[in-house]
């Protein structure tokens, strides 16, 4: 779950809904940003499905007693989420080996510094997945294809970050950016510029980019639930979340 805290509520976005927006962002990128165009459908599949493992977890949000707020994807207990990561990656691989490889690389990079034994086990298993899929896809020891794969991983991460930007930040507020975005997006598109892309709210419904990989302006619709804190106090997080109606926020990228 992606969570933005307000004074009297939590704005909650499911990881899968966020991933679908990431997919739409990537789908509207210029062809130049894909390279190896025959792989484009599989790259787009990976981006759209990269948070597939969170689908079941996000149906039942959990309260974090230590922080006195709902668990988000950032602090969700590792030992609980790792099995779902594996499940999601297995499901993506069944759809497309190339997409499965991209998603595996994405999750491995997120957890490479963790020290828990369950994470080390996960990382080693994903290392084996990479080795197996690279061989099956004919990528092993092919420097050009592996360079393209790493670039496409950055495209996944950029689309992920841009979708997170509108989920983690207060619409229209450029003064309180989430720490993820303090220095712009870390992914660089060196064939265009050596500077990071920086996002900026023009107004609560419009995000402008310092330079844009998009073919044209793109409007997305972000589903979310704004769960009131007093309802959580009365019902608990699970019932309060389920009883809160779904809302839709439109955002245009330009």
């Amino acid at each position: 779950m992606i969570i933005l805290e307000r004074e009297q509520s939590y704005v909650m976005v499911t990881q899968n809904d966020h991933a679908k927006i990431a997919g739409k962002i990537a789908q509207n990128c210029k062809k130049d940003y894909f390279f190896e165009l025959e792989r484009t459908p599989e790259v787009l599949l990976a981006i759209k499905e990269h948070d597939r493992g969170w689908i079941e977890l996000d149906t039942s949000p959990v309260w974090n007693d230590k922080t006195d707020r709902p668990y988000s994807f950032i602090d969700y207990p590792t030992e609980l989420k790792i099995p779902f990561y594996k499940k999601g990656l297995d499901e993506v691989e069944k759809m497309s080996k190339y997409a499965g490889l991209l998603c595996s690389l994405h999750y491995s990079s997120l957890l490479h510094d963790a020290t828990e034994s369950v994470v080390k086990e996960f990382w080693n298993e994903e290392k084996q997945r990479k080795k197996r899929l690279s061989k099956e896809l004919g990528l092993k020891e092919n420097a050009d294809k592996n360079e393209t794969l790493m670039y496409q991983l950055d495209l996944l991460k950029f689309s992920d970050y841009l979708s997170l930007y509108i989920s983690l930040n207060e619409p229209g507020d450029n003064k309180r950016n989430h720490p993820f975005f303090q220095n712009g997006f870390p992914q660089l598109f060196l064939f265009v510029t050596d500077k990071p892309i920086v996002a900026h709210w023009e107004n609560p419904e419009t995000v402008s980019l310092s330079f844009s990989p998009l073919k044209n302006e793109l409007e997305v619709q972000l589903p979310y639930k704004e769960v009131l804190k007093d309802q959580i106090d009365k019902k608990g997080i699970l019932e309060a979340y389920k009883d809160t109606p779904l809302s839709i926020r439109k955002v245009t990228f330009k």
Side-chain angles (χ1 to χ4, degrees):
M1 193 72 72
I2 302 166
I3 296 175
L4 170 65
E5 184 172 3
R6 290 175 172 165
E7 185 176 352
Q8 297 180 352
S9 63
Y10 295 101
V11 178
M12 304 176 71
V13 177
T14 71
Q15 293 282 104
N16 194 49
D17 284 335
H18 136 77
K20 289 178 183 177
I21 290 180
K24 290 180 180 178
I25 291 168
Q27 188 175 8
N28 283 273
C29 283
K30 300 170 186 174
K31 288 183 179 179
D32 296 352
Y33 284 76
F34 283 90
F35 294 98
E36 211 173 39
L37 294 180
E38 65 272 18
R39 290 288 190 189
T40 297
E42 293 174 285
V43 176
L44 290 175
L45 177 66
I47 296 171
K48 177 185 175 184
E49 299 290 347
H50 77 271
D51 277 333
R52 187 170 186 84
W54 281 97
I55 293 175
E56 188 173 344
L57 288 174
D58 280 349
T59 60
S60 303
V62 179
W63 190 258
N64 185 340
D65 290 328
K66 290 183 179 179
T67 60
D68 200 30
R69 68 196 303 268
Y71 276 114
S72 75
F73 74 101
I74 297 172
D75 61 356
Y76 202 92
T78 303
E79 67 277 7
L80 297 182
K81 67 186 179 184
I82 287 292
F84 290 92
Y85 284 3
K86 293 179 184 178
K87 180 175 181 289
L89 292 171
D90 288 343
E91 290 176 355
V92 176
E93 183 185 336
K94 288 179 182 178
M95 300 178 199
S96 158
K97 291 181 179 180
Y98 198 81
L101 177 57
L102 276 171
C103 289
S104 175
L105 290 169
H106 176 58
Y107 274 91
S108 296
S109 68
L110 295 177
L111 296 169
H112 73 280
D113 288 331
T115 57
E116 299 114 306
S117 59
V118 66
V119 177
K120 289 181 178 180
E121 181 182 350
F122 170 81
W123 197 88
N124 287 328
E125 288 179 359
E126 292 312 309
K127 187 177 180 180
Q128 292 303 311
R129 189 196 301 264
K130 176 188 175 183
K131 184 178 180 179
R132 173 174 56 80
L133 290 179
S134 293
K135 182 178 180 180
E136 293 174 3
L137 291 164
L139 304 177
K140 192 176 181 180
E141 298 178 0
N142 188 318
D144 289 341
K145 288 186 178 294
N146 275 284
E147 185 178 356
T148 298
L149 179 69
M150 291 301 101
Y151 168 80
Q152 291 165 339
L153 178 60
D154 267 351
L155 185 60
L156 186 161
K157 289 180 176 295
F158 167 76
S159 303
D160 183 31
Y161 262 70
L162 186 52
S163 180
L164 282 173
Y165 183 87
I166 63 171
S167 305
L168 285 172
N169 289 318
E170 191 67 53
D173 186 353
N174 292 302
K175 295 180 180 179
R176 293 183 295 169
N177 265 350
H178 190 277
F180 282 0
F181 314 104
Q182 293 297 331
N183 299 308
F185 300 159
Q187 299 78 35
L188 297 177
F189 298 101
L190 293 176
F191 70 96
V192 181
T193 178
D194 61 355
K195 297 180 180 179
I197 295 178
V198 177
H200 179 87
W201 291 101
E202 289 190 0
N203 56 59
E205 296 181 347
T206 307
V207 172
S208 64
L209 302 174
S210 55
F211 72 89
S212 176
L214 300 174
K215 291 179 285 191
N216 41 49
E217 291 187 8
L218 171 66
E219 182 184 276
V220 297
Q221 296 188 18
L222 178 68
Y224 68 93
K225 288 189 175 187
E226 185 166 9
V227 185
L228 297 176
K229 292 180 179 180
D230 64 357
Q231 292 302 302
I232 295 174
D233 291 339
K234 292 177 182 177
K235 305 176 182 178
I237 181 61
L238 182 58
E239 290 304 316
Y241 179 79
K242 289 182 176 180
D243 290 346
T244 301
L246 191 68
S247 299
I248 301 291
R249 180 158 57 86
K250 294 181 180 179
V251 179
T252 297
F253 298 113
K254 55 184 293 189

